[in-house]
Amino acid sequence: MADASPTCPGQDPSVADLLAVRPALSMHAMDGLVLEDVPLNAIADALGTPTWVMSAGTLRARYRRLATALAATDRPVSIHFAVKANDHLAVLRVLAAEGAGADVVSGGELRRAMMAGIPAEKIVFSGVGKSLEEMRLALQAGIAQINVESAEELELLSAVAEAEGQEARIALRINPDVDAGTHAKITTGLATNKFGIPYDRAVELYARAATLPGIRPVGLAMHIGSQIVRMQPYRTAYARLADLVRAIRARGLTVEALDCGGGLGISYRDETEGAPEALAAAIHAELGDLGTRLAVEPGRWLAGPAGVLLSTVILRKQGYDGMPPFLVLDAAMNDLMRPSLYDAWHGIIPLSAKTAAAATEQVHVVGPVCESGDTFGHDRTLPHMEAGSRLALLDCGAYGMVMSSTYNARPLAAQVMVDGARWSVIRERQQVEALWADDRVPDWVEKTLLPAGGGL
């Protein structure tokens, strides 16, 4: 799930604080803010703003750290990138080249993952509401595993698999009723959440799965939420998962695989980032002696710190006397939804070194969309910026562009990938005419129009 870092009271991190823990970013006296070896002003000069920028080097570095941590345990753990975090083909190809599999939640994501070069045998299909068409697609593709989230879905999948003459390798996704301690909109492991099979029904349903035509139960899956930075919720959930494995085996049934989910958190503001080494230790401690294959589904931890959103201040708007001014950006909630949806906090750094060193002030940072929720932060302490100042919103590589819309008839922003000193456009800025290219006006409506009197 997408996550949130709620707005925090207290002193905001300084530009120096933000840069100190983001090794791919640096501030140069002449070039300004640089991602890897690419000045971000050069991208803004060429393409304008708003523009998304992804760092291929950061994706690789974080994947390798995670893979190293998981491989260091006695029982290695396979990595399936959560495609919902960032589904761009370039991002998926970079991770596929590192050996990543994919965790998908729709037929479209399944097709994207395969188009990016991720083999079907490395793809897991999750999600609480798979359509019959999506089930057929997964079976025909021969993916590694379908994570079944309800008794009702299990019966449907059995019927589809039997009709297709296929065998569905399935894991039951269990809801352990464990509080991950995250934002209410991104927790997935509580009894009140829509996800997964109630814990106390899991053993019987697993036994039922073993009797169904077209179904081969291979294991269990669990995912308790997103932006998790403490290991105790994982330990508690994994211990419950281990108890289920033992109970199922006591019935004479086989459990070959355990999908440990994802949710490892990052530092948006000043949180302690979730450590892959600690996660690997938690998995090994609770599940390592069960003799199963193990897998994880990271999304945000891999992709979040790899992306920034470039924007420009349209104007400074003075409010009531004694209140902070508004910095109105050309980026908006239709571009980056997280602050509006989750009250999420994203670091903001000017692209100019001179501006970054200016005296700080308190400001409200907002977008131009006609919604009060179109805001990137209230009472933010930032270097003084005027109209025309460019800035980067940090840690936008996960649940950023993938959640964008064209609300207020705003075209989708351009996307760029940097790799060392080189950069390339990976998606052109959408042309405004594309917004209505697929619209169709019925003849009976067309006839009610007055004769054309012009246009823009």
Side-chain angles (χ1 to χ4, degrees), residues 264-330:
L264 195 62
I266 65 175
S267 178
Y268 285 101
R269 189 177 188 271
D270 52 10
E271 310 95 321
T272 299
E273 181 171 271
E277 297 79 9
L279 177 62
I283 292 171
H284 179 65
E286 304 297 341
L287 304 172
D289 65 347
L290 296 173
T292 64
R293 298 191 309 275
L294 297 168
V296 291
E297 306 168 0
R300 175 195 325 278
W301 194 91
L302 289 174
V308 299
L309 174 60
L310 307 184
S311 186
T312 302
V313 178
I314 296 174
L315 55 84
R316 287 176 64 96
K317 178 177 184 287
Q318 190 59 51
Y320 279 92
D321 289 345
M323 297 182 65
F326 294 89
L327 291 186
V328 184
L329 309 186
D330 62 357

Short mmCIF file of all heavy atoms in Angstrom, two decimals, residues 264-330:
data_model
loop_
_atom_site.label_atom_id
_atom_site.label_comp_id
_atom_site.label_asym_id
_atom_site.label_seq_id
_atom_site.Cartn_x
_atom_site.Cartn_y
_atom_site.Cartn_z
N LEU A 264 8.77 -2.10 4.30
CA LEU A 264 9.90 -1.49 4.99
C LEU A 264 9.93 0.01 4.69
O LEU A 264 9.86 0.43 3.54
CB LEU A 264 11.20 -2.15 4.55
CG LEU A 264 12.43 -1.89 5.41
CD1 LEU A 264 12.24 -2.41 6.82
CD2 LEU A 264 13.66 -2.53 4.77
N GLY A 265 10.05 0.82 5.75
CA GLY A 265 9.89 2.27 5.62
C GLY A 265 11.19 2.99 5.32
O GLY A 265 12.29 2.48 5.50
N ILE A 266 11.05 4.22 4.85
CA ILE A 266 12.18 5.10 4.55
C ILE A 266 12.07 6.36 5.41
O ILE A 266 11.07 6.58 6.10
CB ILE A 266 12.23 5.49 3.05
CG1 ILE A 266 11.01 6.34 2.65
CG2 ILE A 266 12.32 4.23 2.19
CD1 ILE A 266 11.06 6.85 1.23
N SER A 267 13.09 7.20 5.35
CA SER A 267 13.09 8.45 6.10
C SER A 267 12.68 9.59 5.18
O SER A 267 13.45 10.00 4.32
CB SER A 267 14.48 8.73 6.68
OG SER A 267 14.49 9.97 7.36
N TYR A 268 11.46 10.07 5.35
CA TYR A 268 11.01 11.24 4.60
C TYR A 268 11.46 12.53 5.28
O TYR A 268 11.92 13.45 4.63
CB TYR A 268 9.48 11.24 4.49
CG TYR A 268 8.93 10.24 3.52
CD1 TYR A 268 8.39 9.03 3.95
CD2 TYR A 268 8.93 10.50 2.15
CE1 TYR A 268 7.85 8.12 3.06
CE2 TYR A 268 8.40 9.59 1.25
CZ TYR A 268 7.87 8.40 1.71
OH TYR A 268 7.35 7.50 0.81
N ARG A 269 11.30 12.58 6.60
CA ARG A 269 11.60 13.80 7.35
C ARG A 269 12.82 13.56 8.22
O ARG A 269 13.94 13.91 7.84
CB ARG A 269 10.39 14.20 8.20
CG ARG A 269 10.52 15.57 8.85
CD ARG A 269 9.23 15.91 9.62
NE ARG A 269 9.24 17.28 10.11
CZ ARG A 269 9.71 17.65 11.28
NH1 ARG A 269 10.22 16.75 12.11
NH2 ARG A 269 9.68 18.92 11.66
N ASP A 270 12.63 12.96 9.38
CA ASP A 270 13.76 12.63 10.24
C ASP A 270 13.52 11.29 10.93
O ASP A 270 14.10 11.01 11.98
CB ASP A 270 14.01 13.73 11.27
CG ASP A 270 12.75 14.11 12.04
OD1 ASP A 270 11.74 13.39 11.92
OD2 ASP A 270 12.78 15.13 12.76
N GLU A 271 12.66 10.45 10.32
CA GLU A 271 12.42 9.12 10.86
C GLU A 271 13.69 8.27 10.72
O GLU A 271 14.55 8.53 9.88
CB GLU A 271 11.29 8.40 10.10
CG GLU A 271 10.01 9.19 9.94
CD GLU A 271 9.95 9.93 8.62
OE1 GLU A 271 10.99 10.47 8.17
OE2 GLU A 271 8.86 9.97 8.04
N THR A 272 13.79 7.24 11.54
CA THR A 272 14.83 6.25 11.37
C THR A 272 14.39 5.29 10.26
O THR A 272 13.35 4.66 10.36
CB THR A 272 15.07 5.46 12.66
OG1 THR A 272 15.49 6.37 13.69
CG2 THR A 272 16.14 4.40 12.47
N GLU A 273 15.18 5.20 9.20
CA GLU A 273 14.80 4.35 8.07
C GLU A 273 14.82 2.89 8.48
O GLU A 273 15.66 2.45 9.26
CB GLU A 273 15.78 4.57 6.91
CG GLU A 273 15.46 3.75 5.68
CD GLU A 273 16.30 4.13 4.49
OE1 GLU A 273 15.88 5.02 3.73
OE2 GLU A 273 17.38 3.54 4.31
N GLY A 274 13.89 2.11 7.94
CA GLY A 274 13.90 0.68 8.17
C GLY A 274 15.15 0.05 7.58
O GLY A 274 15.54 0.36 6.45
N ALA A 275 15.81 -0.81 8.33
CA ALA A 275 17.08 -1.40 7.91
C ALA A 275 16.85 -2.78 7.31
O ALA A 275 16.26 -3.65 7.97
CB ALA A 275 18.04 -1.49 9.09
N PRO A 276 17.30 -3.04 6.08
CA PRO A 276 17.16 -4.38 5.51
C PRO A 276 17.82 -5.46 6.35
O PRO A 276 17.33 -6.59 6.43
CB PRO A 276 17.85 -4.25 4.15
CG PRO A 276 17.86 -2.81 3.84
CD PRO A 276 17.93 -2.10 5.15
N GLU A 277 18.94 -5.11 6.98
CA GLU A 277 19.63 -6.08 7.82
C GLU A 277 18.76 -6.52 9.00
O GLU A 277 18.74 -7.70 9.37
CB GLU A 277 20.95 -5.49 8.32
CG GLU A 277 21.94 -5.15 7.22
CD GLU A 277 21.64 -3.84 6.49
OE1 GLU A 277 20.75 -3.07 6.94
OE2 GLU A 277 22.30 -3.57 5.46
N ALA A 278 18.03 -5.56 9.58
CA ALA A 278 17.14 -5.88 10.69
C ALA A 278 15.95 -6.71 10.22
O ALA A 278 15.51 -7.64 10.91
CB ALA A 278 16.66 -4.61 11.37
N LEU A 279 15.43 -6.39 9.04
CA LEU A 279 14.33 -7.17 8.48
C LEU A 279 14.78 -8.61 8.21
O LEU A 279 14.07 -9.57 8.53
CB LEU A 279 13.81 -6.53 7.20
CG LEU A 279 12.69 -7.30 6.48
CD1 LEU A 279 11.45 -7.41 7.35
CD2 LEU A 279 12.34 -6.64 5.15
N ALA A 280 15.96 -8.76 7.63
CA ALA A 280 16.49 -10.10 7.35
C ALA A 280 16.64 -10.90 8.64
O ALA A 280 16.32 -12.09 8.69
CB ALA A 280 17.82 -9.99 6.62
N ALA A 281 17.10 -10.22 9.69
CA ALA A 281 17.26 -10.90 10.98
C ALA A 281 15.91 -11.33 11.54
O ALA A 281 15.78 -12.43 12.12
CB ALA A 281 17.98 -9.98 11.96
N ALA A 282 14.89 -10.49 11.40
CA ALA A 282 13.55 -10.83 11.89
C ALA A 282 12.98 -12.03 11.15
O ALA A 282 12.38 -12.94 11.74
CB ALA A 282 12.62 -9.62 11.77
N ILE A 283 13.15 -12.03 9.83
CA ILE A 283 12.66 -13.16 9.03
C ILE A 283 13.37 -14.45 9.45
O ILE A 283 12.74 -15.49 9.65
CB ILE A 283 12.88 -12.87 7.52
CG1 ILE A 283 11.97 -11.73 7.06
CG2 ILE A 283 12.64 -14.13 6.69
CD1 ILE A 283 12.26 -11.24 5.65
N HIS A 284 14.69 -14.37 9.57
CA HIS A 284 15.47 -15.56 9.92
C HIS A 284 15.10 -16.07 11.32
O HIS A 284 14.95 -17.28 11.53
CB HIS A 284 16.95 -15.25 9.84
CG HIS A 284 17.83 -16.40 10.20
ND1 HIS A 284 17.89 -17.55 9.45
CD2 HIS A 284 18.66 -16.60 11.26
CE1 HIS A 284 18.72 -18.41 10.01
NE2 HIS A 284 19.21 -17.87 11.11
N ALA A 285 14.93 -15.14 12.26
CA ALA A 285 14.65 -15.55 13.64
C ALA A 285 13.31 -16.26 13.76
O ALA A 285 13.18 -17.24 14.51
CB ALA A 285 14.69 -14.33 14.55
N GLU A 286 12.30 -15.78 13.06
CA GLU A 286 10.95 -16.34 13.23
C GLU A 286 10.60 -17.44 12.23
O GLU A 286 9.79 -18.31 12.53
CB GLU A 286 9.91 -15.21 13.12
CG GLU A 286 10.12 -14.06 14.10
CD GLU A 286 10.01 -14.48 15.56
OE1 GLU A 286 9.41 -15.55 15.82
OE2 GLU A 286 10.52 -13.75 16.42
N LEU A 287 11.23 -17.40 11.04
CA LEU A 287 10.81 -18.29 9.97
C LEU A 287 11.93 -19.17 9.42
O LEU A 287 11.68 -20.08 8.63
CB LEU A 287 10.21 -17.48 8.81
CG LEU A 287 9.04 -16.55 9.15
CD1 LEU A 287 8.69 -15.68 7.95
CD2 LEU A 287 7.83 -17.34 9.61
N GLY A 288 13.16 -18.88 9.83
CA GLY A 288 14.30 -19.51 9.21
C GLY A 288 14.43 -21.00 9.44
O GLY A 288 15.11 -21.70 8.68
N ASP A 289 13.79 -21.53 10.48
CA ASP A 289 13.94 -22.96 10.80
C ASP A 289 12.82 -23.81 10.21
O ASP A 289 12.73 -25.01 10.51
CB ASP A 289 14.00 -23.16 12.31
CG ASP A 289 12.70 -22.77 13.01
OD1 ASP A 289 11.85 -22.12 12.37
OD2 ASP A 289 12.55 -23.11 14.20
N LEU A 290 11.98 -23.23 9.35
CA LEU A 290 10.82 -23.96 8.83
C LEU A 290 11.12 -24.69 7.53
O LEU A 290 10.30 -25.48 7.05
CB LEU A 290 9.64 -23.00 8.63
CG LEU A 290 9.09 -22.35 9.90
CD1 LEU A 290 8.04 -21.30 9.55
CD2 LEU A 290 8.52 -23.40 10.85
N GLY A 291 12.27 -24.43 6.93
CA GLY A 291 12.67 -25.13 5.72
C GLY A 291 11.90 -24.77 4.47
O GLY A 291 11.86 -25.53 3.50
N THR A 292 11.28 -23.58 4.44
CA THR A 292 10.50 -23.14 3.28
C THR A 292 11.32 -22.20 2.40
O THR A 292 12.32 -21.63 2.83
CB THR A 292 9.23 -22.40 3.72
OG1 THR A 292 9.62 -21.20 4.41
CG2 THR A 292 8.37 -23.25 4.62
N ARG A 293 10.86 -22.01 1.17
CA ARG A 293 11.34 -20.89 0.36
C ARG A 293 10.78 -19.62 0.97
O ARG A 293 9.65 -19.61 1.48
CB ARG A 293 10.87 -21.02 -1.09
CG ARG A 293 11.38 -22.25 -1.81
CD ARG A 293 11.10 -22.15 -3.31
NE ARG A 293 9.72 -21.82 -3.61
CZ ARG A 293 8.73 -22.72 -3.69
NH1 ARG A 293 8.98 -24.01 -3.47
NH2 ARG A 293 7.50 -22.35 -4.00
N LEU A 294 11.55 -18.53 0.90
CA LEU A 294 11.13 -17.26 1.49
C LEU A 294 11.17 -16.15 0.43
O LEU A 294 12.02 -16.18 -0.47
CB LEU A 294 12.03 -16.89 2.66
CG LEU A 294 12.00 -17.85 3.87
CD1 LEU A 294 13.14 -17.53 4.82
CD2 LEU A 294 10.66 -17.75 4.59
N ALA A 295 10.27 -15.19 0.56
CA ALA A 295 10.22 -14.07 -0.39
C ALA A 295 9.77 -12.81 0.34
O ALA A 295 9.09 -12.87 1.37
CB ALA A 295 9.26 -14.39 -1.53
N VAL A 296 10.16 -11.65 -0.21
CA VAL A 296 9.69 -10.35 0.27
C VAL A 296 9.19 -9.53 -0.91
O VAL A 296 9.52 -9.82 -2.06
CB VAL A 296 10.80 -9.56 1.02
CG1 VAL A 296 11.13 -10.22 2.34
CG2 VAL A 296 12.04 -9.40 0.15
N GLU A 297 8.41 -8.49 -0.61
CA GLU A 297 7.77 -7.65 -1.64
C GLU A 297 8.05 -6.17 -1.40
O GLU A 297 7.13 -5.38 -1.18
CB GLU A 297 6.26 -7.87 -1.63
CG GLU A 297 5.79 -9.29 -1.77
CD GLU A 297 4.30 -9.43 -1.46
OE1 GLU A 297 3.66 -8.40 -1.15
OE2 GLU A 297 3.79 -10.55 -1.51
N PRO A 298 9.30 -5.72 -1.43
CA PRO A 298 9.58 -4.30 -1.17
C PRO A 298 9.15 -3.42 -2.34
O PRO A 298 9.22 -3.82 -3.50
CB PRO A 298 11.11 -4.28 -1.02
CG PRO A 298 11.56 -5.39 -1.92
CD PRO A 298 10.51 -6.48 -1.77
N GLY A 299 8.70 -2.23 -2.02
CA GLY A 299 8.36 -1.24 -3.05
C GLY A 299 8.99 0.09 -2.73
O GLY A 299 9.96 0.53 -3.33
N ARG A 300 8.43 0.76 -1.71
CA ARG A 300 8.88 2.09 -1.32
C ARG A 300 10.37 2.12 -0.96
O ARG A 300 11.09 3.03 -1.34
CB ARG A 300 8.06 2.56 -0.12
CG ARG A 300 8.49 3.87 0.48
CD ARG A 300 7.89 4.07 1.87
NE ARG A 300 6.58 3.51 1.94
CZ ARG A 300 5.47 4.14 1.51
NH1 ARG A 300 5.56 5.35 1.03
NH2 ARG A 300 4.31 3.57 1.61
N TRP A 301 10.84 1.11 -0.18
CA TRP A 301 12.22 1.15 0.28
C TRP A 301 13.19 1.17 -0.89
O TRP A 301 14.22 1.85 -0.85
CB TRP A 301 12.52 -0.04 1.20
CG TRP A 301 13.81 0.16 1.96
CD1 TRP A 301 13.95 0.75 3.19
CD2 TRP A 301 15.13 -0.17 1.51
NE1 TRP A 301 15.30 0.81 3.53
CE2 TRP A 301 16.03 0.25 2.52
CE3 TRP A 301 15.64 -0.77 0.37
CZ2 TRP A 301 17.41 0.07 2.41
CZ3 TRP A 301 17.01 -0.94 0.25
CH2 TRP A 301 17.88 -0.53 1.26
N LEU A 302 12.86 0.46 -1.97
CA LEU A 302 13.72 0.46 -3.14
C LEU A 302 13.59 1.72 -3.97
O LEU A 302 14.60 2.32 -4.37
CB LEU A 302 13.39 -0.76 -4.02
CG LEU A 302 13.79 -2.13 -3.48
CD1 LEU A 302 13.26 -3.22 -4.40
CD2 LEU A 302 15.30 -2.24 -3.34
N ALA A 303 12.36 2.16 -4.23
CA ALA A 303 12.14 3.21 -5.23
C ALA A 303 11.95 4.60 -4.65
O ALA A 303 12.25 5.59 -5.33
CB ALA A 303 10.92 2.85 -6.07
N GLY A 304 11.46 4.72 -3.41
CA GLY A 304 11.13 6.04 -2.87
C GLY A 304 12.28 7.03 -2.93
O GLY A 304 12.15 8.12 -3.52
N PRO A 305 13.44 6.72 -2.35
CA PRO A 305 14.54 7.68 -2.34
C PRO A 305 15.18 7.91 -3.71
O PRO A 305 16.04 8.79 -3.84
CB PRO A 305 15.55 7.05 -1.37
CG PRO A 305 14.75 6.10 -0.55
CD PRO A 305 13.71 5.57 -1.48
N ALA A 306 14.79 7.13 -4.72
CA ALA A 306 15.40 7.25 -6.04
C ALA A 306 14.77 8.35 -6.89
O ALA A 306 15.29 8.65 -7.98
CB ALA A 306 15.30 5.91 -6.78
N GLY A 307 13.69 8.97 -6.43
CA GLY A 307 12.98 9.92 -7.28
C GLY A 307 12.77 11.28 -6.65
O GLY A 307 12.60 11.40 -5.43
N VAL A 308 12.78 12.31 -7.49
CA VAL A 308 12.43 13.67 -7.07
C VAL A 308 11.43 14.23 -8.07
O VAL A 308 11.35 13.78 -9.21
CB VAL A 308 13.66 14.60 -6.97
CG1 VAL A 308 14.65 14.09 -5.94
CG2 VAL A 308 14.33 14.78 -8.33
N LEU A 309 10.69 15.24 -7.63
CA LEU A 309 9.78 15.98 -8.50
C LEU A 309 10.26 17.42 -8.57
O LEU A 309 10.33 18.10 -7.55
CB LEU A 309 8.35 15.92 -7.97
CG LEU A 309 7.30 16.77 -8.71
CD1 LEU A 309 7.18 16.36 -10.17
CD2 LEU A 309 5.94 16.67 -8.00
N LEU A 310 10.62 17.87 -9.78
CA LEU A 310 11.06 19.24 -9.97
C LEU A 310 9.86 20.15 -10.19
O LEU A 310 8.93 19.80 -10.92
CB LEU A 310 11.99 19.35 -11.19
CG LEU A 310 13.20 18.39 -11.22
CD1 LEU A 310 14.07 18.69 -12.44
CD2 LEU A 310 14.00 18.50 -9.94
N SER A 311 9.91 21.32 -9.56
CA SER A 311 8.80 22.27 -9.68
C SER A 311 9.35 23.69 -9.64
O SER A 311 10.51 23.91 -9.27
CB SER A 311 7.78 22.05 -8.54
OG SER A 311 6.64 22.87 -8.71
N THR A 312 8.50 24.63 -10.02
CA THR A 312 8.86 26.05 -10.03
C THR A 312 7.82 26.85 -9.25
O THR A 312 6.62 26.56 -9.35
CB THR A 312 8.93 26.58 -11.48
OG1 THR A 312 9.89 25.82 -12.21
CG2 THR A 312 9.33 28.05 -11.51
N VAL A 313 8.28 27.83 -8.49
CA VAL A 313 7.36 28.73 -7.79
C VAL A 313 6.71 29.65 -8.80
O VAL A 313 7.40 30.42 -9.49
CB VAL A 313 8.10 29.55 -6.71
CG1 VAL A 313 7.12 30.51 -6.02
CG2 VAL A 313 8.75 28.63 -5.68
N ILE A 314 5.39 29.57 -8.90
CA ILE A 314 4.65 30.47 -9.81
C ILE A 314 4.59 31.87 -9.22
O ILE A 314 4.84 32.87 -9.91
CB ILE A 314 3.22 29.94 -10.06
CG1 ILE A 314 3.26 28.60 -10.78
CG2 ILE A 314 2.41 30.96 -10.87
CD1 ILE A 314 1.89 27.95 -10.92
N LEU A 315 4.27 31.94 -7.94
CA LEU A 315 4.18 33.24 -7.27
C LEU A 315 4.20 33.08 -5.77
O LEU A 315 3.97 31.99 -5.25
CB LEU A 315 2.92 34.00 -7.71
CG LEU A 315 1.56 33.30 -7.56
CD1 LEU A 315 1.01 33.46 -6.14
CD2 LEU A 315 0.55 33.89 -8.55
N ARG A 316 4.54 34.17 -5.08
CA ARG A 316 4.37 34.27 -3.62
C ARG A 316 3.07 35.01 -3.37
O ARG A 316 2.87 36.11 -3.87
CB ARG A 316 5.52 35.05 -3.00
CG ARG A 316 6.84 34.32 -2.93
CD ARG A 316 7.92 35.23 -2.38
NE ARG A 316 7.66 35.64 -1.00
CZ ARG A 316 8.16 35.02 0.07
NH1 ARG A 316 8.95 33.97 -0.09
NH2 ARG A 316 7.89 35.46 1.29
N LYS A 317 2.20 34.42 -2.60
CA LYS A 317 0.90 35.05 -2.31
C LYS A 317 0.85 35.40 -0.84
O LYS A 317 0.93 34.54 0.03
CB LYS A 317 -0.23 34.08 -2.67
CG LYS A 317 -1.63 34.61 -2.38
CD LYS A 317 -2.68 33.59 -2.85
CE LYS A 317 -4.09 34.13 -2.66
NZ LYS A 317 -4.51 34.16 -1.27
N GLN A 318 0.70 36.67 -0.55
CA GLN A 318 0.62 37.11 0.84
C GLN A 318 -0.78 36.90 1.37
O GLN A 318 -1.77 37.27 0.72
CB GLN A 318 1.01 38.58 0.96
CG GLN A 318 1.19 39.05 2.39
CD GLN A 318 2.25 38.26 3.14
OE1 GLN A 318 3.37 38.12 2.65
NE2 GLN A 318 1.91 37.75 4.31
N GLY A 319 -0.89 36.31 2.54
CA GLY A 319 -2.19 36.09 3.16
C GLY A 319 -2.51 37.18 4.15
O GLY A 319 -2.06 38.33 4.01
N TYR A 320 -3.27 36.84 5.18
CA TYR A 320 -3.60 37.80 6.22
C TYR A 320 -2.32 38.26 6.91
O TYR A 320 -1.32 37.54 6.97
CB TYR A 320 -4.55 37.16 7.24
CG TYR A 320 -5.99 37.13 6.81
CD1 TYR A 320 -6.52 36.04 6.14
CD2 TYR A 320 -6.83 38.21 7.09
CE1 TYR A 320 -7.85 36.01 5.76
CE2 TYR A 320 -8.16 38.19 6.72
CZ TYR A 320 -8.66 37.09 6.05
OH TYR A 320 -9.98 37.07 5.67
N ASP A 321 -2.37 39.47 7.46
CA ASP A 321 -1.22 40.02 8.16
C ASP A 321 -0.77 39.08 9.27
O ASP A 321 -1.59 38.53 10.02
CB ASP A 321 -1.55 41.39 8.76
CG ASP A 321 -1.70 42.46 7.70
OD1 ASP A 321 -1.27 42.21 6.55
OD2 ASP A 321 -2.26 43.53 8.01
N GLY A 322 0.53 38.89 9.36
CA GLY A 322 1.10 38.06 10.41
C GLY A 322 1.11 36.58 10.11
O GLY A 322 1.61 35.79 10.91
N MET A 323 0.56 36.20 8.94
CA MET A 323 0.54 34.79 8.58
C MET A 323 1.59 34.52 7.51
O MET A 323 1.93 35.41 6.73
CB MET A 323 -0.85 34.37 8.08
CG MET A 323 -1.94 34.50 9.14
SD MET A 323 -3.54 33.94 8.53
CE MET A 323 -3.22 32.20 8.25
N PRO A 324 2.12 33.28 7.46
CA PRO A 324 3.13 32.96 6.45
C PRO A 324 2.57 33.14 5.04
O PRO A 324 1.37 32.91 4.80
CB PRO A 324 3.47 31.50 6.73
CG PRO A 324 3.06 31.27 8.14
CD PRO A 324 1.87 32.15 8.36
N PRO A 325 3.42 33.52 4.09
CA PRO A 325 2.96 33.61 2.70
C PRO A 325 2.76 32.22 2.11
O PRO A 325 3.25 31.22 2.64
CB PRO A 325 4.11 34.34 2.01
CG PRO A 325 5.31 33.99 2.82
CD PRO A 325 4.83 33.89 4.23
N PHE A 326 2.07 32.18 1.00
CA PHE A 326 1.90 30.95 0.25
C PHE A 326 2.90 30.94 -0.91
O PHE A 326 2.97 31.91 -1.67
CB PHE A 326 0.49 30.85 -0.34
CG PHE A 326 -0.61 30.73 0.69
CD1 PHE A 326 -1.21 31.87 1.21
CD2 PHE A 326 -1.03 29.49 1.11
CE1 PHE A 326 -2.23 31.77 2.14
CE2 PHE A 326 -2.05 29.37 2.05
CZ PHE A 326 -2.64 30.50 2.57
N LEU A 327 3.64 29.85 -1.04
CA LEU A 327 4.42 29.62 -2.26
C LEU A 327 3.57 28.73 -3.16
O LEU A 327 3.30 27.56 -2.82
CB LEU A 327 5.74 28.91 -1.94
CG LEU A 327 6.81 29.68 -1.18
CD1 LEU A 327 8.09 28.84 -1.10
CD2 LEU A 327 7.10 31.03 -1.82
N VAL A 328 3.12 29.27 -4.27
CA VAL A 328 2.27 28.52 -5.19
C VAL A 328 3.16 27.91 -6.27
O VAL A 328 3.83 28.63 -7.02
CB VAL A 328 1.20 29.43 -5.83
CG1 VAL A 328 0.27 28.58 -6.71
CG2 VAL A 328 0.40 30.17 -4.76
N LEU A 329 3.18 26.58 -6.33
CA LEU A 329 4.03 25.87 -7.27
C LEU A 329 3.30 25.52 -8.55
O LEU A 329 2.06 25.53 -8.60
CB LEU A 329 4.54 24.57 -6.63
CG LEU A 329 5.19 24.65 -5.25
CD1 LEU A 329 5.75 23.28 -4.87
CD2 LEU A 329 6.27 25.72 -5.22
N ASP A 330 4.08 25.15 -9.58
CA ASP A 330 3.42 24.65 -10.80
C ASP A 330 3.14 23.15 -10.71
O ASP A 330 2.40 22.61 -11.53
CB ASP A 330 4.23 24.98 -12.05
CG ASP A 330 5.62 24.35 -12.07
OD1 ASP A 330 6.01 23.68 -11.11
OD2 ASP A 330 6.34 24.56 -13.08
#
